Amino acid sequence: MNGSDWYTALSVGLYGLRKRIFEIVEHCEDDDPVSQCYDRLLILCIFCSILPLCFKGESEMLDAMDHAAVNMFIVDYFLRWLTADFRKPSYHGAAFFYYPIGFMAILDVVSVLPSLIVLNPGWKVMRLLRLSRSLRAIRLFRYSKGFRVIAVAVKKEKQALEAVLWMAIAYIFVSALVMFSVEPGSFHSFFDAVYWSVVTLTTVGYGDVYPVTDIGRLVSMLSSLVGIAIIALPTGIMTAGFMSELQNHIGDDE
């Protein structure tokens, strides 16, 4: 066997190995026990890395669990980078350059930074980095089939949800502007009026900022009714989209 044959055989072997790694680290298939075990191992690592956040003090056992989980996350990151061209086949070799700037890749890096950067614990920046460790919980969505169905439903209903979002923003601004005009004594700034409008939109009603005049209360009642209608719109859109996608998912499985 000459040099070119060895090169061809090596290339084919590496391609097959990378493809198998991609099948394992990507979305778990029901008939692939190795992929299932890998996903469960990553989920366990996520829980182990988040557990130290539940305690104020430090513990050698918790630190060891965190370091072991971080090492697994690093391995997972490079495995996904190694197989980036399978995830985006249309990008070809450019997929390896686009992967590190993807949302999930950036999330993976940020979530492990607190365990990798060695700084004085008294530095305030460490407090910010510690908060980023909680981002590891978002990684759980990657291994949830239910979340993938929801993500597809959101993508399909993107235009309708964007319309509702702009409607909510317009409602917040207009109602805040009206209330700020009719109730200048109850709101020290326009931001207070915007805060009241958001609280009214979500029907929370903390009661720390409220109108005291009759016209202000009338505007508040109307705003509450409109807010309920706006909040109900995305719920109905998401429910319809989710049920449609769930039916498609069940049909594909059958």
Side-chain angles (χ1 to χ4, degrees):
M1 184 178 291
N2 55 36
S4 61
D5 293 335
W6 277 107
Y7 177 79
T8 302
L10 181 61
S11 299
V12 172
L14 289 177
Y15 179 86
L17 177 62
R18 291 195 309 110
K19 185 176 181 179
R20 179 55 182 152
I21 293 175
F22 171 76
E23 294 172 351
I24 294 173
V25 302
E26 274 305 303
H27 304 323
C28 174
E29 300 294 340
D30 295 335
D31 57 349
D32 191 342
V34 179
S35 180
Q36 289 182 348
C37 291
Y38 184 84
D39 286 356
R40 291 168 183 170
L41 176 61
L42 263 296
I43 292 174
L44 177 62
C45 289
I46 292 172
F47 280 115
C48 290
S49 66
I50 296 175
L51 187 60
L53 296 177
C54 302
F55 301 91
K56 291 184 177 181
E58 299 293 334
S59 168
E60 293 184 1
M61 182 182 70
L62 293 177
D63 290 340
M65 292 171 55
D66 180 66
H67 291 319
V70 167
N71 290 332
M72 187 62 198
F73 293 153
I74 294 174
V75 171
D76 177 71
Y77 178 87
F78 282 106
L79 289 179
R80 293 180 184 275
W81 196 356
L82 180 66
T83 59
D85 55 331
F86 291 101
R87 188 174 299 102
K88 295 184 179 296
S90 60
Y91 285 36
H92 302 291
F96 297 106
F97 297 96
Y98 282 105
Y99 176 77
I101 60 176
F103 173 75
M104 291 304 298
I106 294 175
L107 175 65
D108 291 342
V109 173
V110 173
S111 64
V112 301
L113 279 179
S115 301
L116 297 179
I117 297 180
V118 180
L119 293 174
N120 188 333
W123 286 23
K124 293 182 179 181
V125 68
M126 284 299 294
R127 299 175 185 176
L128 298 177
L129 291 175
R130 182 176 175 84
L131 290 177
S132 69
R133 294 173 62 181
S134 60
L135 295 176
R136 295 174 188 172
I138 304 178
R139 294 167 59 102
L140 286 171
F141 296 146
R142 176 183 286 166
Y143 310 102
S144 172
K145 290 184 179 180
F147 177 77
R148 291 199 293 271
V149 173
I150 294 175
V152 173
V154 171
K155 187 175 181 179
K156 288 184 177 180
E157 303 295 339
K158 180 180 178 181
Q159 292 183 346
L161 292 174
E162 285 180 351
V164 174
L165 174 62
W166 285 111
M167 186 185 302
I169 293 175
Y171 156 84
I172 291 172
F173 180 79
V174 172
S175 61
L177 191 60
V178 171
M179 187 60 73
F180 189 62
S181 299
V182 302
E183 285 272 350
S186 300
F187 302 95
H188 300 292
S189 65
F190 184 69
F191 177 78
D192 289 342
V194 171
Y195 165 76
W196 167 86
S197 182
V198 173
V199 171
T200 303
L201 170 67
T202 57
T203 67
V204 174
Y206 290 114
D208 52 344
V209 180
Y210 55 89
V212 295
T213 64
D214 292 338
I215 184 65
R217 290 172 179 171
L218 177 62
V219 172
S220 181
M221 288 188 293
L222 295 175
S223 297
S224 299
L225 295 175
V226 175
I228 293 174
I230 293 177
I231 288 295
L233 283 175
T235 304
I237 294 172
M238 282 300 305
T239 301
F242 177 74
M243 293 303 298
S244 176
E245 186 59 30
L246 188 60
Q247 291 294 331
N248 294 336
H249 188 74
I250 295 175
D252 293 339
D253 291 341
E254 293 178 353

Coordinates of all heavy atoms in Angstrom, one line a residue, residues 63-138:
D63 N -16.1 21.2 45.3 CA -15.1 21.7 44.3 C -14.6 20.6 43.4 O -14.4 20.8 42.2 CB -13.9 22.3 45.1 CG -14.2 23.6 45.8 OD1 -15.2 24.2 45.4 OD2 -13.4 23.9 46.7
A64 N -14.4 19.4 43.9 CA -14.0 18.3 43.1 C -15.1 17.9 42.0 O -14.8 17.7 40.9 CB -13.7 17.1 43.9
M65 N -16.4 18.0 42.5 CA -17.5 17.7 41.5 C -17.5 18.8 40.4 O -17.7 18.5 39.3 CB -18.8 17.7 42.3 CG -19.0 16.6 43.2 SD -20.4 16.7 44.3 CE -21.7 17.0 43.1
D66 N -17.3 20.1 40.8 CA -17.3 21.1 39.9 C -16.2 21.0 38.9 O -16.4 21.2 37.7 CB -17.2 22.5 40.6 CG -17.2 23.7 39.6 OD1 -18.2 23.9 39.0 OD2 -16.2 24.4 39.5
H67 N -15.0 20.7 39.3 CA -13.8 20.5 38.4 C -14.0 19.3 37.5 O -13.7 19.4 36.3 CB -12.5 20.3 39.2 CG -12.1 21.5 40.0 ND1 -12.2 22.8 39.4 CD2 -11.6 21.7 41.2 CE1 -11.7 23.7 40.3 NE2 -11.4 23.0 41.4
A68 N -14.6 18.2 38.0 CA -14.9 17.1 37.1 C -15.9 17.5 36.0 O -15.7 17.1 34.9 CB -15.3 15.9 37.9
A69 N -16.9 18.2 36.4 CA -17.9 18.6 35.5 C -17.4 19.5 34.4 O -17.7 19.4 33.2 CB -19.1 19.3 36.2
V70 N -16.5 20.5 34.9 CA -15.9 21.4 33.9 C -15.0 20.7 32.9 O -15.0 21.0 31.7 CB -15.1 22.5 34.7 CG1 -14.2 23.3 33.8 CG2 -16.1 23.4 35.5
N71 N -14.3 19.7 33.4 CA -13.4 19.0 32.5 C -14.3 18.3 31.4 O -13.9 18.2 30.2 CB -12.6 18.0 33.2 CG -11.5 18.6 34.1 OD1 -11.0 19.7 33.7 ND2 -11.1 17.9 35.1
M72 N -15.4 17.8 31.8 CA -16.3 17.1 30.9 C -16.9 18.1 29.9 O -17.1 17.8 28.7 CB -17.5 16.4 31.7 CG -18.4 15.5 30.8 SD -17.5 14.2 30.0 CE -18.6 13.8 28.6
F73 N -17.2 19.3 30.4 CA -17.8 20.3 29.5 C -16.7 20.7 28.4 O -17.1 21.0 27.3 CB -18.2 21.6 30.3 CG -19.3 21.4 31.2 CD1 -19.5 22.1 32.4 CD2 -20.3 20.4 30.9 CE1 -20.6 21.9 33.2 CE2 -21.4 20.2 31.8 CZ -21.5 20.9 32.9
I74 N -15.5 20.8 28.9 CA -14.4 21.2 27.9 C -14.3 20.1 26.8 O -14.1 20.4 25.6 CB -13.1 21.4 28.7 CG1 -13.2 22.6 29.6 CG2 -11.9 21.6 27.7 CD1 -12.0 22.8 30.5
V75 N -14.3 18.8 27.3 CA -14.2 17.7 26.3 C -15.4 17.8 25.3 O -15.3 17.7 24.1 CB -14.2 16.4 27.0 CG1 -14.4 15.2 26.0 CG2 -12.9 16.2 27.8
D76 N -16.6 18.1 25.9 CA -17.8 18.2 25.0 C -17.7 19.3 24.1 O -18.1 19.2 22.9 CB -19.0 18.3 26.0 CG -20.3 18.5 25.2 OD1 -20.8 17.5 24.6 OD2 -20.9 19.6 25.1
Y77 N -17.1 20.4 24.5 CA -17.0 21.6 23.6 C -16.1 21.3 22.5 O -16.5 21.6 21.3 CB -16.4 22.8 24.4 CG -16.1 24.0 23.6 CD1 -17.1 25.0 23.4 CD2 -14.9 24.2 23.0 CE1 -16.9 26.1 22.7 CE2 -14.6 25.4 22.3 CZ -15.7 26.3 22.1 OH -15.4 27.4 21.4
F78 N -15.0 20.6 22.7 CA -14.0 20.3 21.6 C -14.6 19.2 20.7 O -14.3 19.2 19.5 CB -12.7 20.0 22.2 CG -11.9 21.1 22.6 CD1 -11.7 21.4 23.9 CD2 -11.3 22.0 21.7 CE1 -11.0 22.5 24.4 CE2 -10.6 23.1 22.1 CZ -10.4 23.4 23.4
L79 N -15.4 18.3 21.2 CA -16.0 17.3 20.4 C -17.0 17.9 19.5 O -17.1 17.5 18.3 CB -16.6 16.2 21.3 CG -15.7 15.3 22.0 CD1 -16.5 14.3 22.9 CD2 -14.8 14.5 21.1
R80 N -17.8 18.8 20.0 CA -18.7 19.5 19.1 C -18.0 20.4 18.1 O -18.5 20.5 16.9 CB -19.7 20.3 20.0 CG -20.6 19.5 20.8 CD -21.5 20.3 21.7 NE -22.3 19.5 22.6 CZ -23.4 18.8 22.3 NH1 -23.9 19.0 21.0 NH2 -24.0 18.1 23.1
W81 N -16.9 21.0 18.5 CA -16.2 21.8 17.5 C -15.6 20.9 16.4 O -15.5 21.3 15.3 CB -15.1 22.6 18.3 CG -14.5 23.7 17.5 CD1 -14.7 24.1 16.2 CD2 -13.5 24.7 18.0 NE1 -14.0 25.2 15.8 CE2 -13.3 25.6 16.9 CE3 -12.9 24.8 19.2 CZ2 -12.4 26.6 17.1 CZ3 -12.0 25.9 19.4 CH2 -11.8 26.8 18.3
L82 N -15.1 19.7 16.8 CA -14.5 18.8 15.9 C -15.5 18.3 14.8 O -15.1 18.0 13.7 CB -13.9 17.6 16.7 CG -13.2 16.5 15.9 CD1 -11.9 17.0 15.2 CD2 -12.9 15.3 16.8
T83 N -16.7 18.3 15.2 CA -17.8 17.8 14.3 C -18.7 18.9 13.8 O -19.8 18.6 13.4 CB -18.6 16.7 15.0 OG1 -19.2 17.2 16.2 CG2 -17.7 15.5 15.4
A84 N -18.2 20.1 13.8 CA -19.1 21.3 13.4 C -19.5 21.2 12.0 O -20.6 21.7 11.6 CB -18.3 22.6 13.7
D85 N -18.7 20.6 11.1 CA -19.1 20.5 9.7 C -20.3 19.6 9.4 O -21.0 19.7 8.5 CB -17.9 20.1 8.8 CG -17.3 18.8 9.3 OD1 -17.4 18.5 10.5 OD2 -16.8 18.0 8.5
F86 N -20.5 18.6 10.3 CA -21.7 17.7 10.2 C -23.0 18.5 10.6 O -24.0 18.2 10.2 CB -21.5 16.5 11.1 CG -20.5 15.5 10.5 CD1 -19.2 15.5 11.1 CD2 -20.7 14.7 9.4 CE1 -18.2 14.6 10.7 CE2 -19.7 13.9 9.0 CZ -18.5 13.8 9.6
R87 N -22.8 19.4 11.6 CA -24.0 20.1 12.1 C -24.4 21.1 11.0 O -25.7 21.4 10.9 CB -23.6 20.9 13.4 CG -24.8 21.5 14.1 CD -24.3 22.1 15.5 NE -23.8 21.0 16.3 CZ -22.5 20.7 16.5 NH1 -21.6 21.5 15.9 NH2 -22.1 19.8 17.3
K88 N -23.5 21.7 10.3 CA -23.9 22.7 9.2 C -23.1 22.3 8.0 O -22.1 22.9 7.6 CB -23.5 24.1 9.7 CG -24.2 24.7 10.9 CD -23.9 26.1 11.2 CE -24.6 26.6 12.3 NZ -26.1 26.7 12.1
P89 N -23.6 21.2 7.3 CA -22.9 20.7 6.1 C -22.8 21.7 5.0 O -21.9 21.7 4.2 CB -23.8 19.5 5.7 CG -25.1 19.7 6.3 CD -24.9 20.5 7.6
S90 N -23.7 22.7 4.9 CA -23.7 23.7 3.8 C -22.5 24.6 4.0 O -22.1 25.3 3.0 CB -25.0 24.4 3.7 OG -25.3 25.1 4.9
Y91 N -22.0 24.8 5.2 CA -20.9 25.7 5.5 C -19.5 25.1 5.1 O -18.6 25.8 5.0 CB -20.9 26.1 7.0 CG -21.9 27.1 7.3 CD1 -23.2 27.0 6.8 CD2 -21.7 28.0 8.3 CE1 -24.2 27.9 7.1 CE2 -22.7 28.9 8.7 CZ -23.9 28.9 8.1 OH -24.9 29.7 8.4
H92 N -19.5 23.7 5.0 CA -18.3 23.0 4.7 C -17.2 23.3 5.7 O -17.5 23.3 6.9 CB -17.8 23.3 3.3 CG -18.8 23.0 2.2 ND1 -19.1 21.7 1.9 CD2 -19.6 23.9 1.4 CE1 -20.1 21.8 0.9 NE2 -20.4 23.0 0.7
G93 N -16.0 23.7 5.3 CA -14.9 23.9 6.3 C -15.1 25.2 7.1 O -14.6 25.3 8.2
A94 N -15.9 26.1 6.6 CA -16.2 27.4 7.4 C -17.0 27.1 8.7 O -17.0 27.9 9.6 CB -17.0 28.3 6.5
A95 N -17.6 25.9 8.8 CA -18.3 25.6 10.0 C -17.5 25.6 11.2 O -17.9 25.9 12.3 CB -19.0 24.2 9.8
F96 N -16.2 25.2 11.0 CA -15.2 25.2 12.2 C -14.9 26.6 12.7 O -14.6 26.8 13.8 CB -13.9 24.5 11.8 CG -14.1 23.1 11.4 CD1 -14.1 22.7 10.1 CD2 -14.4 22.1 12.4 CE1 -14.2 21.3 9.7 CE2 -14.5 20.8 12.0 CZ -14.5 20.4 10.7
F97 N -15.1 27.6 11.8 CA -14.8 29.0 12.2 C -16.1 29.6 12.8 O -16.0 30.5 13.7 CB -14.3 29.8 11.0 CG -13.0 29.3 10.5 CD1 -13.0 28.5 9.4 CD2 -11.8 29.7 11.0 CE1 -11.8 28.1 8.8 CE2 -10.6 29.3 10.5 CZ -10.6 28.5 9.4
Y98 N -17.3 29.2 12.3 CA -18.5 29.8 12.8 C -18.9 29.2 14.1 O -19.6 29.8 14.9 CB -19.6 29.6 11.8 CG -19.6 30.5 10.6 CD1 -19.1 30.1 9.4 CD2 -20.0 31.9 10.8 CE1 -19.1 31.0 8.3 CE2 -19.9 32.8 9.8 CZ -19.5 32.3 8.5 OH -19.4 33.2 7.5
Y99 N -18.5 27.9 14.4 CA -19.0 27.3 15.6 C -18.7 28.1 16.9 O -19.5 28.3 17.8 CB -18.5 25.9 15.7 CG -18.9 25.2 17.0 CD1 -20.1 24.7 17.2 CD2 -18.0 25.1 18.1 CE1 -20.5 24.1 18.4 CE2 -18.3 24.5 19.3 CZ -19.6 24.0 19.4 OH -20.0 23.4 20.6
P100 N -17.4 28.5 17.1 CA -17.1 29.2 18.4 C -17.9 30.5 18.6 O -17.9 31.0 19.8 CB -15.6 29.5 18.2 CG -15.1 28.6 17.2 CD -16.2 28.4 16.2
I101 N -18.5 31.1 17.6 CA -19.2 32.3 17.8 C -20.7 32.0 17.8 O -21.5 33.0 17.9 CB -18.9 33.4 16.7 CG1 -19.3 32.8 15.3 CG2 -17.5 33.8 16.7 CD1 -19.1 33.8 14.2
G102 N -21.1 30.8 17.9 CA -22.5 30.4 18.0 C -23.0 30.6 19.5 O -22.2 30.7 20.4
F103 N -24.3 30.8 19.6 CA -24.9 31.0 21.0 C -24.5 30.0 22.0 O -24.0 30.3 23.1 CB -26.4 31.2 20.9 CG -27.1 31.3 22.2 CD1 -27.0 32.5 22.9 CD2 -27.7 30.2 22.8 CE1 -27.6 32.6 24.2 CE2 -28.4 30.3 24.0 CZ -28.3 31.5 24.7
M104 N -24.7 28.7 21.6 CA -24.5 27.6 22.6 C -23.0 27.5 22.9 O -22.6 27.1 24.0 CB -25.1 26.3 22.0 CG -26.6 26.3 22.0 SD -27.4 26.6 23.6 CE -26.7 25.2 24.6
A105 N -22.2 27.7 21.9 CA -20.7 27.6 22.1 C -20.2 28.7 23.0 O -19.4 28.5 23.9 CB -20.0 27.7 20.7
I106 N -20.7 29.9 22.8 CA -20.4 31.0 23.7 C -20.9 30.7 25.1 O -20.2 31.0 26.1 CB -20.9 32.4 23.2 CG1 -20.3 32.7 21.9 CG2 -20.8 33.5 24.2 CD1 -20.8 34.0 21.2
L107 N -22.1 30.2 25.2 CA -22.7 29.8 26.5 C -21.8 28.8 27.2 O -21.5 28.9 28.4 CB -24.1 29.3 26.3 CG -24.8 28.7 27.6 CD1 -25.0 29.8 28.6 CD2 -26.1 28.1 27.2
D108 N -21.3 27.8 26.5 CA -20.4 26.8 27.0 C -19.1 27.4 27.6 O -18.7 27.0 28.7 CB -20.1 25.8 26.0 CG -21.2 24.9 25.6 OD1 -22.2 24.9 26.3 OD2 -21.2 24.3 24.5
V109 N -18.6 28.4 26.9 CA -17.3 29.0 27.3 C -17.6 29.8 28.6 O -16.8 29.8 29.6 CB -16.7 29.9 26.2 CG1 -15.5 30.7 26.7 CG2 -16.3 29.0 25.0
V110 N -18.6 30.7 28.5 CA -18.9 31.6 29.7 C -19.2 30.8 30.9 O -18.8 31.1 32.0 CB -20.1 32.5 29.3 CG1 -20.5 33.3 30.5 CG2 -19.7 33.4 28.2
S111 N -19.9 29.6 30.8 CA -20.3 28.9 31.9 C -19.2 28.2 32.7 O -19.3 27.9 33.8 CB -21.3 27.8 31.5 OG -20.8 26.8 30.7
V112 N -18.0 28.0 32.0 CA -16.9 27.3 32.6 C -15.8 28.3 33.0 O -14.9 27.9 33.7 CB -16.3 26.2 31.7 CG1 -17.3 25.2 31.3 CG2 -15.7 26.8 30.5
L113 N -15.9 29.6 32.6 CA -14.9 30.6 33.0 C -14.7 30.7 34.5 O -13.5 30.8 34.9 CB -15.3 31.9 32.4 CG -15.0 32.1 30.9 CD1 -15.4 33.5 30.5 CD2 -13.5 32.0 30.6
P114 N -15.7 30.7 35.3 CA -15.4 30.9 36.7 C -14.6 29.8 37.3 O -13.9 30.0 38.3 CB -16.9 30.9 37.4 CG -17.7 31.2 36.3 CD -17.1 30.7 35.0
S115 N -14.6 28.6 36.7 CA -13.8 27.5 37.3 C -12.4 27.5 36.7 O -11.5 26.8 37.2 CB -14.5 26.2 37.0 OG -15.7 26.2 37.6
L116 N -12.2 28.2 35.6 CA -10.9 28.2 34.9 C -10.0 29.4 35.2 O -8.8 29.3 35.3 CB -11.1 28.1 33.4 CG -11.8 26.9 32.9 CD1 -11.9 27.0 31.4 CD2 -11.0 25.6 33.2
I117 N -10.6 30.6 35.5 CA -9.9 31.8 35.7 C -9.5 31.8 37.2 O -10.3 31.7 38.1 CB -10.7 33.0 35.4 CG1 -11.0 33.0 33.9 CG2 -10.0 34.3 35.7 CD1 -11.8 34.2 33.4
V118 N -8.2 32.0 37.4 CA -7.6 32.1 38.8 C -7.4 33.5 39.1 O -6.4 34.1 38.6 CB -6.3 31.3 38.9 CG1 -5.8 31.3 40.3 CG2 -6.6 29.8 38.5
L119 N -8.2 34.1 40.0 CA -8.1 35.5 40.4 C -8.3 35.5 41.9 O -8.7 34.6 42.5 CB -9.1 36.3 39.7 CG -9.0 36.6 38.2 CD1 -10.2 37.3 37.7 CD2 -7.7 37.3 37.9
N120 N -8.0 36.7 42.5 CA -8.2 36.9 43.9 C -9.7 36.8 44.1 O -10.5 37.5 43.5 CB -7.7 38.3 44.3 CG -7.8 38.5 45.8 OD1 -8.6 37.9 46.4 ND2 -6.9 39.4 46.2
P121 N -10.2 35.9 45.1 CA -11.6 35.8 45.3 C -12.3 37.1 45.7 O -13.5 37.2 45.7 CB -11.7 34.7 46.5 CG -10.4 34.0 46.3 CD -9.4 35.0 45.9
G122 N -11.5 38.0 46.2 CA -12.1 39.3 46.7 C -12.4 40.2 45.6 O -13.1 41.2 45.8
W123 N -11.9 39.9 44.4 CA -12.2 40.8 43.2 C -13.7 40.7 42.9 O -14.3 39.7 42.8 CB -11.4 40.4 42.0 CG -9.9 40.8 42.1 CD1 -9.3 41.0 43.3 CD2 -9.0 40.9 41.1 NE1 -7.9 41.3 43.0 CE2 -7.8 41.3 41.6 CE3 -9.1 40.8 39.7 CZ2 -6.6 41.5 40.9 CZ3 -8.0 41.0 38.9 CH2 -6.8 41.4 39.5
K124 N -14.3 41.9 42.6 CA -15.7 41.9 42.3 C -16.0 41.2 41.0 O -17.1 40.7 40.8 CB -16.2 43.4 42.2 CG -16.1 44.2 43.5 CD -16.6 45.6 43.3 CE -16.6 46.3 44.6 NZ -17.1 47.7 44.5
V125 N -15.0 41.2 40.1 CA -15.3 40.5 38.8 C -15.6 39.0 39.0 O -16.3 38.4 38.3 CB -14.1 40.7 37.8 CG1 -12.9 39.9 38.3 CG2 -14.5 40.2 36.4
M126 N -15.0 38.4 40.1 CA -15.3 37.0 40.4 C -16.8 36.8 40.7 O -17.3 35.7 40.4 CB -14.4 36.5 41.5 CG -13.0 36.3 41.1 SD -12.8 35.0 39.8 CE -13.4 33.6 40.7
R127 N -17.4 37.8 41.4 CA -18.8 37.7 41.7 C -19.6 37.6 40.4 O -20.6 36.8 40.4 CB -19.2 38.8 42.6 CG -18.5 38.9 43.9 CD -18.9 40.2 44.7 NE -18.0 40.3 45.9 CZ -18.1 41.4 46.7 NH1 -19.0 42.3 46.4 NH2 -17.3 41.4 47.7
L128 N -19.2 38.4 39.4 CA -20.0 38.4 38.2 C -19.7 37.0 37.4 O -20.7 36.5 36.9 CB -19.5 39.5 37.3 CG -19.8 40.9 37.8 CD1 -19.2 42.0 36.9 CD2 -21.3 41.1 38.0
L129 N -18.5 36.5 37.5 CA -18.2 35.3 36.8 C -18.9 34.1 37.5 O -19.3 33.1 36.9 CB -16.7 35.0 36.8 CG -15.9 35.9 35.9 CD1 -14.4 35.7 36.1 CD2 -16.3 35.7 34.5
R130 N -19.1 34.2 38.8 CA -19.8 33.2 39.6 C -21.2 33.1 39.1 O -21.8 32.0 39.0 CB -19.7 33.4 41.1 CG -20.4 32.3 41.9 CD -20.2 32.6 43.4 NE -20.9 31.6 44.2 CZ -20.5 30.4 44.5 NH1 -19.3 30.0 44.1 NH2 -21.2 29.6 45.2
L131 N -21.8 34.2 38.8 CA -23.2 34.2 38.3 C -23.3 33.5 37.0 O -24.3 32.9 36.7 CB -23.7 35.7 38.2 CG -23.9 36.5 39.5 CD1 -24.3 37.9 39.1 CD2 -25.0 35.8 40.3
S132 N -22.2 33.6 36.2 CA -22.3 32.9 34.9 C -22.4 31.4 35.0 O -22.8 30.7 34.1 CB -21.1 33.3 34.1 OG -19.9 32.7 34.6
R133 N -22.0 30.9 36.2 CA -22.1 29.4 36.4 C -23.5 28.9 36.3 O -23.8 27.8 35.9 CB -21.5 29.0 37.7 CG -20.0 29.3 37.8 CD -19.4 29.0 39.2 NE -19.6 27.7 39.6 CZ -19.2 27.2 40.8 NH1 -18.7 28.0 41.7 NH2 -19.4 25.9 41.1
S134 N -24.5 29.8 36.7 CA -25.9 29.4 36.6 C -26.3 29.2 35.2 O -27.4 28.6 34.9 CB -26.7 30.4 37.3 OG -26.6 31.7 36.7
L135 N -25.6 29.7 34.2 CA -25.9 29.5 32.8 C -25.8 28.1 32.4 O -26.4 27.7 31.3 CB -25.0 30.4 31.9 CG -25.1 31.9 32.1 CD1 -24.1 32.6 31.2 CD2 -26.5 32.4 31.7
R136 N -25.1 27.3 33.2 CA -25.0 25.9 32.8 C -26.4 25.2 32.8 O -26.5 24.2 32.1 CB -24.1 25.2 33.8 CG -22.6 25.7 33.7 CD -21.8 25.1 34.8 NE -20.4 25.7 34.8 CZ -19.5 25.5 35.7 NH1 -19.8 24.6 36.7 NH2 -18.4 26.1 35.7
A137 N -27.3 25.7 33.6 CA -28.6 25.1 33.6 C -29.3 25.2 32.2 O -30.1 24.3 31.9 CB -29.5 25.8 34.6
I138 N -29.0 26.2 31.4 CA -29.6 26.4 30.1 C -29.1 25.3 29.2 O -29.8 24.9 28.3 CB -29.2 27.8 29.5 CG1 -29.6 28.9 30.5 CG2 -29.8 28.0 28.2 CD1 -29.2 30.3 30.0

